[in-house]
Amino acid sequence: MLLDRLRRGTGGHDGESTVLRRTAQFCLDHRRLVIGAWLLAATLLTVLLPQLETVAREQSTDPIPADVPSFQALDTMGEAFTEPGAAATVFVVMSNPGGLSADRSRYEQFVQAMRDDSVNVQSVRDLASDPIASQQAISEDGRAWYLPLGLAGRFGGTDTAEAVEAVRESADQVFAGSQTQVHVTGPAATFADQLHTAESELLLISIATLILIGVILLIVYRSIITALLPLLVIGVSLAIARGVLAGLGLVGLPVSEYSIAFLTAILLGAGTDYSVFVIARYHERIRAGETPEDAVVSATGSIGRVVIASAMTVTLALLAMVFADLSVFTTVGPACAIAILVSLAASLTLLQPVLAIAARHGYGLPGRELTARHWRRVGAVVVRRPRALLAVSLTALLACSLPLLGMQLNFDDRGGQPPGTDSNRGYALLDAHFPKDITVSEFVLITSPRDMRTATALADLDQLAFRIAQLPGVTRVIGVTRPTGEKLEQAQLSWQNGEIGRSLGGAVSDGQSRSSDLTMLRDGAHRLAGALGQLRERVDTELVPLAESIGDVAGAAQSLRDYRPYLDTLTEIAPGVDAVAGSAPDAAQAARAAERALRGLEPALPVLEAPYCLQITACAQLRTHLADLTGLGRAGFFSDVAALTGQLRSGNTSVTTLITQLNRAVARLDTGLAAVDGVDVPGAIDELSSGVGLLADGANQLAAGVDALVDTTMETLVGMGQVATALRTSATETAGSNAATGFYLPADAFENQDFSAVARQFIAPDGRAIRYAVQTDVDPYSHAAIELSGRIADVVAESLPNTELSDATTYIAGFPAINTDLQRLLGSDFRLLAVTTVLIVGLILAVLLRSVVAPIYLVATVILNYTAALGLGVLVFEYLLGQPIFWPVPLLAFIILVAVGADYNMLLVARLREESVAGLRVGVLRTVGHTGAVITSAGVIFAASMFGLMAGSVGIMVQAGFVIGTGLLIDTFVVRTLTVPALAALLGPANWWPGHDPAHPPRVDRPPAADLSSAATGGPAG
């Protein structure tokens, strides 16, 4: 076993590793070969492999897994609505003082260029050119507009970043020389800008970090040459680590700009620390009288074991990040592990010949100790007052942790980059002309195996939209049933009832205005029947008998003249009868119109019979009225009215025509009787009698029909008036009530061109997918938006059972939904990696220290140190600067602070175990005195490397650098200086349970194996 071999001490000092001594001696004996090999490796990796930034740029790494529900929703919506690239949507925002009309030709040229670019652009939604959609895409002042584009690739991918850049180049070319401002924005563009900013600032971060570390080394060693030695080693290490990571990236290891930044910071910090540990022990051996080359070998043999153990602790904790779901962790973890391993190898092989060569020329040798007395005083205070110092230090750590109670994670990448990026300028332009965050929409997508363009399904959809609209924070829900955010007025049953009521009321008023015509019709029909009856009676009683005995024609003619008054009466009445009969079609038409209106209301009955309607009084009343009306129609009432009025026009000859013909017949008879002798007078009289009889019978039937018509018409008008009043009352009483007003939209509504133009934005061509846009008054990047997205999903799920949508599938799409998935994955990753890190660190500490108690409080103190550092980060960024902590920072800080903090504590307690042979209190005093300078120097150097990240402007790296750097300083000056020594002093021999107390070693027949703790670092750094 490696650890067993490293524990064997057969060198010049107890506890030195033979393997490490031989390794150091080999490096010294072949110093030129070793140095040449390192330089050659750095050169070849740099020359033969592409730059690490190029590999990261070309590698497509999804920041969020592609199979999360929010991305699936975007993909499903894009496919259903023929909008490819929905998961990588950007918005080209344009502004011109003269509006779109001032530069329309360039705009149309740009739109065409986007449609022609099939490589980078998958969909173009020219809303500004749509007469209806332009109200959404053009600002109220008319000076700004935007063009949504679906780009190639996925959100956060390299191909998407390249597509964003291609769109920007095309926009710059088209609008060059015009007054139109053009910016490409949206979440996909924001992420691309963040990565570009991080890449462009890597050199600045590296230079700032090197300067900080160089200054600290110069202060520690008080020698430029000595300070340069670790920098030379880590410079070569950095070149090799970058090359190794680039090579692994080419074969599939995930790499990102964050990988590069943290690799640089970790390597500079850890590499310098490991070099400092070796140099400190090297100086200690020289002070003990060894030659520089012997000191190098013995220092490597002793401190090397602890450096390896601490490096493996950090490496394993970092490698655990590969099990995370989020790429920001899976890319950073392996990169940092590579940095640790390369810096470890360099500190144990490259640093040795460098120190020997420098010593030959008089450089790198130890100077006078300046801080040993200070650290011995600190140790004495800890031993004398452990309880007080423990209480003070724990109180300070807990106080620093308090701001965590109000911590809000920041999911807004816009604030994590400079305001001058193109995407942030685009957001600013949008906010200046449009409602805030108009492009960061959230959608509810419903898919069904059936066409949902039915009255019932649309009514259920509108009820779903209404329930979403009632959620606190939701301002509008826009969709096919509510294009403006309010329920479609024409589809409300209250509106439809009002329209039918007004139509019936108009028909009633028109019918009532013609009541005098009906009276005239009744009177005329009865007068006609009476006159014809009298005529028939006299013909039968007087003229017919007269014909049998008449002797001369003159007498017959005189008899005919006696009947002239009756014919004159009939002639006067006939026009009135015809006039009334002529109005019969109007009554029939009104009856048929009422019947059609009631048939149109029948489909609304199922909606009003829904369970929610039965609980509403107004809705139930409306259902009762509507049921009565439709029942009246099904009984044939209006059909009977129409048929009866048709009887008045059943013949082809009017009453006036019949009377005219009768007068002509009488006139001809009179003339014939007077002029013609020998005419068959009886036959003519019989003919006259028969005609008058037929006319009299018809008149009687007409009179009866007119009576029935007038009575029925008046009753119908009264009933229609009651119906109209009921409908108008129902419309008034239910107006403004979503449930009571109901919803009914017939399928033929989609045949309306204007409505269809609006509907196609919300209904897929096959009708099996429908979406609603949800607008809110909360920041779409905030935690409140994430919570609201969850409530929307719950409401949607609760609205589906027992409806036409019961077998539908629902999705929540949009950036709040993406952040919901991000928060879920972040929580999962934090639990996994936090537990894994604690277990790795705890187990390694338990094995190396052969104790259970010490690892427990060491891990507990580094966790408390983490909460204190993060609390200070919350205090500074959230409370003082108004910028909440970005979501990757807490987990990154946890892994690094716990691993590195435990690493340093292990060095401290290992030396404590060695020094406790004379007693634990003496051991604490000596440990603090011997390790204070070197471990403190290492902590400050590592903190400086993390603070170097703050030289950039990417929020994630700035905050991570501050929190981790602050945590390392707290760990250096509080935890390892006060808290851990005080705990060790209070626990006494219990520190080593269940192992043995170093002051009372077990009795054995042979000398015990050298303890690992004797290899712990010692001696001041200077």
Side-chain angles (χ1 to χ4, degrees):
M1 295 294 291
L2 175 61
L3 289 178
D4 290 337
R5 295 181 64 189
L6 292 177
R7 283 196 179 109
R8 296 179 185 138
T10 59
H13 295 271
D14 291 340
E16 291 182 7
S17 167
T18 302
V19 173
L20 293 177
R21 285 183 59 86
R22 289 176 178 174
T23 301
Q25 191 63 57
F26 176 86
C27 293
L28 292 180
D29 293 341
H30 305 84
R31 62 192 67 183
R32 291 184 175 84
L33 176 63
V34 171
I35 294 175
W38 276 92
L39 293 177
L40 179 63
T43 302
L44 291 178
L45 289 173
T46 303
V47 173
L48 298 180
L49 294 176
Q51 287 295 307
L52 184 54
E53 289 78 8
T54 302
V55 175
R57 194 182 309 116
E58 294 178 352
Q59 192 179 72
S60 181
T61 303
D62 293 334
I64 302 175
D67 59 352
V68 297
S70 55
F71 280 171
Q72 290 182 341
L74 290 173
D75 291 339
T76 302
M77 186 169 67
E79 181 179 352
F81 288 86
T82 319
E83 296 173 355
T89 299
V90 298
F91 298 86
V92 183
V93 188
M94 291 152 277
S95 176
N96 189 299
L100 175 58
S101 58
D103 216 357
R104 179 171 286 277
S105 60
R106 291 177 186 263
Y107 171 73
E108 293 175 349
Q109 179 184 349
F110 176 68
V111 171
Q112 188 59 47
M114 293 298 95
R115 287 178 173 148
D116 294 340
D117 186 2
S118 58
V119 175
N120 297 300
V121 181
Q122 295 188 358
S123 65
V124 180
R125 297 177 61 197
D126 185 10
L127 302 179
S129 299
D130 189 309
I132 297 176
S134 61
Q135 300 176 10
Q136 172 188 353
I138 300 178
S139 63
E140 290 186 4
D141 60 12
R143 294 187 297 171
W145 63 97
Y146 62 83
L147 174 70
L149 300 176
L151 302 185
R154 302 198 63 82
F155 174 79
T158 303
D159 43 2
T160 301
E162 293 175 352
V164 169
E165 190 61 30
V167 171
R168 285 172 174 162
E169 291 177 359
S170 179
D172 291 340
Q173 293 175 2
V174 172
F175 291 97
S178 71
Q179 290 185 314
T180 301
Q181 297 182 42
V182 186
H183 303 290
V184 180
T185 190
T190 298
F191 194 84
D193 285 346
Q194 181 169 290
L195 294 182
H196 176 74
T197 302
E199 179 183 344
S200 64
E201 293 178 345
L202 287 176
L203 180 60
L204 174 63
I205 291 173
S206 300
I207 293 174
T209 304
L210 284 172
I211 291 175
L212 284 174
I213 293 176
V215 170
I216 295 172
L217 290 174
L218 187 60
I219 295 173
V220 170
Y221 295 121
R222 303 180 301 281
S223 167
I224 295 178
I225 301 299
T226 306
L228 286 176
L229 296 180
L231 294 179
L232 292 175
V233 172
I234 63 176
V236 176
S237 303
L238 181 60
I240 292 179
R242 286 173 55 88
V244 170
L245 186 59
L248 293 175
L250 292 177
V251 298
L253 181 70
V255 180
S256 69
E257 279 72 11
Y258 297 121
S259 305
I260 306 171
F262 281 94
L263 174 140
T264 303
I266 293 293
L267 189 143
L268 293 178
T272 306
D273 277 3
Y274 298 153
S275 296
V276 166
F277 293 150
V278 174
I279 293 173
R281 182 55 61 93
Y282 165 69
H283 285 173
E284 181 182 346
R285 295 300 191 215
I286 291 178
R287 291 191 184 100
E290 295 185 8
T291 64
E293 291 197 3
D294 289 341
V296 167
V297 173
S298 61
T300 304
S302 59
I303 195 63
R305 295 179 308 155
V306 181
V307 170
I308 290 175
S310 62
M312 295 309 298
T313 302
V314 179
T315 299
L316 290 176
L318 292 170
L319 285 177
M321 297 172 73
V322 299
F323 299 107
D325 290 317
L326 297 171
S327 66
V328 69
F329 304 123
T330 58
T331 58
V332 168
C336 293
I338 291 172
I340 294 292
L341 293 177
V342 172
S343 60
L344 171 65
S347 67
L348 297 180
T349 59
L350 178 60
L351 180 62
Q352 284 67 25
V354 169
L355 288 174
I357 293 173
R360 178 175 296 180
H361 295 85
Y363 299 114
L365 299 176
R368 186 169 58 91
E369 295 184 66
L370 298 178
T371 60
R373 181 178 299 177
H374 165 75
W375 290 111
R376 284 194 292 269
R377 285 199 299 265
V378 172
V381 172
V382 171
V383 169
R384 286 197 300 267
R385 298 184 178 87
R387 288 184 176 83
L389 290 178
L390 180 62
V392 170
S393 62
L394 290 179
T395 301
L397 292 173
L398 290 173
C400 292
S401 304
L402 286 177
L404 286 179
L405 298 175
M407 183 179 72
Q408 293 288 334
L409 292 183
N410 189 352
F411 295 91
D412 188 356
D413 291 332
R414 299 175 300 180
Q417 56 187 279
T421 61
D422 191 60
S423 57
N424 274 351
R425 293 175 65 187
Y427 280 121
L429 185 59
L430 281 171
D431 291 344
H433 296 276
F434 293 91
K436 185 173 177 58
D437 298 320
I438 188 174
T439 59
V440 190
S441 302
E442 187 163 20
F443 292 92
V444 174
L445 176 67
I446 304 101
T447 61
S448 172
R450 298 183 302 277
D451 191 338
M452 290 181 283
R453 290 171 294 187
T454 64
T456 305
L458 290 171
D460 291 335
L461 284 166
D462 186 74
Q463 184 64 19
L464 181 150
F466 170 73
R467 295 186 64 179
I468 295 174
Q470 301 309 300
L471 289 173
V474 176
T475 56
R476 287 200 307 173
V477 179
I478 303 174
V480 62
T481 61
R482 41 184 70 213
T484 62
E486 301 293 336
K487 182 184 290 188
L488 193 63
E489 183 182 23
Q490 291 81 355
Q492 298 181 35
L493 292 182
S494 59
W495 183 88
Q496 295 172 358
N497 288 343
E499 290 298 302
I500 295 173
R502 282 188 287 273
S503 177
L504 287 177
V508 169
S509 299
D510 184 63
Q512 290 175 344
S513 67
R514 299 186 180 185
S515 59
S516 59
D517 294 340
L518 295 176
T519 302
M520 182 183 300
L521 176 63
R522 184 199 298 269
D523 294 343
H526 283 285
R527 289 173 62 191
L528 174 63
L532 288 175
Q534 294 177 9
L535 176 61
R536 179 180 184 178
E537 182 180 355
R538 294 198 62 178
V539 168
D540 290 341
T541 57
E542 299 179 10
L543 191 57
V544 172
L546 180 63
E548 298 176 355
S549 59
I550 190 168
D552 56 41
V553 175
Q558 181 61 41
S559 297
L560 287 174
R561 284 192 292 272
D562 292 338
Y563 297 116
R564 282 286 183 183
Y566 300 106
L567 292 176
D568 293 341
T569 300
L570 291 175
T571 301
E572 294 175 359
I573 295 173
V577 174
D578 286 337
V580 175
S583 65
D586 294 336
Q589 183 177 1
R592 293 189 186 96
E595 184 178 22
R596 285 194 301 272
L598 290 174
R599 280 201 304 270
L601 289 175
E602 287 186 4
L605 275 175
V607 178
L608 297 178
E609 291 173 356
Y612 64 83
C613 183
L614 298 176
Q615 302 175 6
I616 303 173
T617 304
C619 186
Q621 293 175 351
L622 177 59
R623 186 189 67 252
T624 302
H625 293 323
L626 187 56
D628 293 341
L629 286 175
T630 54
L632 187 63
R634 286 194 293 269
F637 169 72
F638 296 103
S639 299
D640 293 342
V641 173
L644 181 60
T645 54
Q647 293 178 7
L648 291 175
R649 301 292 295 177
S650 61
N652 295 324
T653 306
S654 65
V655 175
T656 301
T657 302
L658 292 175
I659 297 303
T660 301
Q661 292 175 354
L662 181 60
N663 277 322
R664 290 176 181 172
V666 172
R668 288 196 299 271
L669 179 60
D670 187 23
T671 303
L673 290 175
V676 181
D677 189 15
V679 175
D680 185 9
V681 175
I685 291 177
D686 288 340
E687 182 182 354
L688 175 63
S689 176
S690 177
V692 170
L694 290 174
L695 188 59
D697 291 340
N700 286 328
Q701 294 176 1
L702 177 63
V706 168
D707 282 340
L709 172 64
V710 172
D711 292 341
T712 303
T713 300
M714 296 306 295
E715 292 175 359
T716 299
L717 289 176
V718 172
M720 290 174 63
Q722 293 174 347
V723 171
T725 301
L727 289 174
R728 287 196 297 266
T729 301
S730 174
T732 302
E733 291 177 350
T734 58
S737 171
N738 183 79
T741 55
F743 187 90
Y744 173 69
L745 187 66
D748 58 7
F750 292 93
E751 298 176 4
N752 180 279
Q753 184 176 0
D754 292 339
F755 180 76
S756 179
V758 175
R760 67 170 172 260
Q761 298 184 49
F762 306 104
I763 300 183
D766 61 0
R768 298 187 178 187
I770 291 180
R771 62 183 173 186
Y772 282 90
V774 181
Q775 295 183 357
T776 69
D777 58 6
V778 300
D779 182 351
Y781 296 90
S782 66
H783 186 71
I786 295 175
E787 293 179 345
L788 180 57
S789 180
R791 291 198 298 270
I792 291 173
D794 293 340
V795 167
V796 171
E798 294 168 358
S799 302
L800 300 185
N802 303 317
T803 69
E804 284 291 309
L805 311 174
S806 58
D807 58 349
T809 303
T810 60
Y811 305 86
I812 307 297
F815 213 73
I818 293 176
N819 283 340
T820 299
D821 289 333
L822 178 58
Q823 185 183 53
R824 175 178 55 82
L825 294 174
L826 178 62
S828 175
D829 285 350
F830 198 107
R831 289 188 294 271
L832 171 65
L833 297 182
V835 171
T836 303
T837 301
V838 169
L839 288 177
I840 290 173
V841 170
L843 288 175
I844 293 178
L845 286 174
V847 171
L848 295 178
L849 299 178
R850 285 168 291 172
S851 168
V852 173
V853 175
I856 291 176
Y857 71 73
L858 290 178
V859 172
T861 55
V862 294
I863 292 176
L864 185 57
N865 172 62
Y866 159 75
T867 61
L870 187 58
L872 290 177
V874 172
L875 177 64
V876 171
F877 289 101
E878 183 172 337
Y879 290 101
L880 298 181
L881 301 180
Q883 184 184 69
I885 297 295
F886 286 101
W887 59 269
V889 172
L891 183 52
L892 287 173
F894 182 89
I895 294 173
I896 295 176
L897 284 177
V898 170
V900 175
D903 174 21
Y904 289 164
N905 282 338
M906 180 181 65
L907 297 174
L908 178 71
V909 177
R911 185 58 180 260
L912 175 63
R913 187 181 184 93
E914 175 189 353
E915 299 290 351
S916 297
V917 175
L920 190 62
R921 293 172 63 86
V922 174
V924 170
L925 180 64
R926 290 177 177 176
T927 298
V928 174
H930 290 165
T931 65
V934 63
I935 295 182
T936 299
S937 300
V940 173
I941 289 170
F942 212 143
S945 70
M946 301 310 300
F947 284 135
L949 293 173
M950 299 179 66
S953 59
V954 176
I956 293 175
M957 292 193 292
V958 170
Q959 291 184 354
F962 177 85
V963 172
I964 298 173
T966 300
L968 291 171
L969 291 181
I970 295 175
D971 184 63
T972 299
F973 292 103
V974 178
V975 176
R976 274 185 284 112
T977 303
L978 302 176
T979 309
V980 171
L983 277 169
L986 289 172
L987 290 173
N991 280 285
W992 319 118
W993 187 87
H996 65 82
D997 182 0
H1000 302 86
R1003 298 184 63 179
V1004 293
D1005 295 335
R1006 58 183 177 83
D1011 197 304
L1012 170 65
S1013 62
S1014 63
T1017 185

